Amino acid sequence: MPPAGGNQLFVALSSGYEFRGNSWMWSPYGKLDLASTTLGQYTEAAAGNNALTYFKQRVRTSSGTLGLRTEGQYLSRAGMWTPRGRIEYRRQFSGAGEAGISYADLASSGPAYVIRSDDSFTGNWTAGIGMRLMLAGGTSFIVDYSSNLNVGQGRYSSILFGINMPLR
């Protein structure tokens, strides 16, 4: 039998707007991701009674994100300071589904084993602050701190240090 076929549909919609003043900006934003994946039935090619048949399977997921980012600009003798911040909430949903498997010689009777999953969702909060200093020659120094809280699953944080230099 040929390899399993399948298809996937993915849609992402995002929107935001930047409100700007002389030395500040804040931007609310949102995003919606939708995905549907279908795997076709597939039978292994194995010797004797050891071949397995994997039955058609469909997985659907979606996520929604709402956030706000902000930054300011302040000129000093050292250069242009740009403090920034961000807060974001993301909720991911997975639809209920099932995966069926059987020995190939018994596949006509349907799946012998089925693994079922329930609807599930996870929530994720992200917050970050940072600073960029741009010098007169175009070189900039960056420091960013970000903390991510997966609701019910723990937290992780990251620190980014960067230097951007123009190539001339």
Side-chain angles (χ1 to χ4, degrees), residues 15-31:
S15 180
Y17 188 79
E18 289 188 354
F19 296 93
R20 291 192 170 271
N22 289 336
S23 62
W24 58 268
M25 180 279 300
W26 65 273
S27 175
Y29 60 91
K31 184 176 180 183

Side-chain angles (χ1 to χ4, degrees), residues 5-167:
N7 57 51
Q8 185 173 43
L9 176 65
F10 181 80
V11 176
L13 301 170
S14 62
S15 180
Y17 188 79
E18 289 188 354
F19 296 93
R20 291 192 170 271
N22 289 336
S23 62
W24 58 268
M25 180 279 300
W26 65 273
S27 175
Y29 60 91
K31 184 176 180 183
L32 179 65
D33 295 317
L34 305 168
S36 177
T37 303
T38 303
L39 301 173
Q41 183 171 320
Y42 173 71
T43 300
E44 295 178 330
N49 297 335
N50 296 322
L52 296 174
T53 295
Y54 301 89
F55 290 86
K56 184 177 180 179
Q57 182 179 358
R58 174 177 269 169
V59 177
R60 291 183 177 162
T61 62
S62 61
S63 69
T65 303
L66 292 175
L68 176 68
R69 63 187 184 89
T70 183
E71 68 179 37
Q73 291 186 336
Y74 305 98
L75 188 59
S76 73
R77 285 189 214 169
M80 179 69 71
W81 294 90
T82 307
R84 53 188 172 205
R86 178 173 68 111
I87 187 162
E88 176 179 291
Y89 179 72
R90 181 173 186 228
R91 185 140 185 167
Q92 187 169 4
F93 303 91
S94 294
E98 63 181 35
I101 189 171
S102 176
Y103 287 104
D105 57 340
L106 302 173
S108 61
S109 300
Y113 305 99
V114 177
I115 298 172
R116 289 183 174 82
S117 65
D118 294 329
D119 289 336
S120 65
F121 69 90
T122 57
N124 184 48
W125 283 97
T126 301
I129 57 173
M131 179 72 73
R132 180 181 70 190
L133 171 61
M134 181 171 287
L135 305 177
T139 298
S140 61
F141 297 94
I142 301 166
V143 177
D144 282 323
Y145 171 78
S146 180
S147 182
N148 189 305
L149 174 64
N150 290 321
V151 177
Q153 298 178 0
R155 165 186 285 196
Y156 64 87
S157 299
S158 64
I159 298 175
L160 169 80
F161 296 100
I163 299 174
N164 292 334
M165 298 175 68
L167 300 175

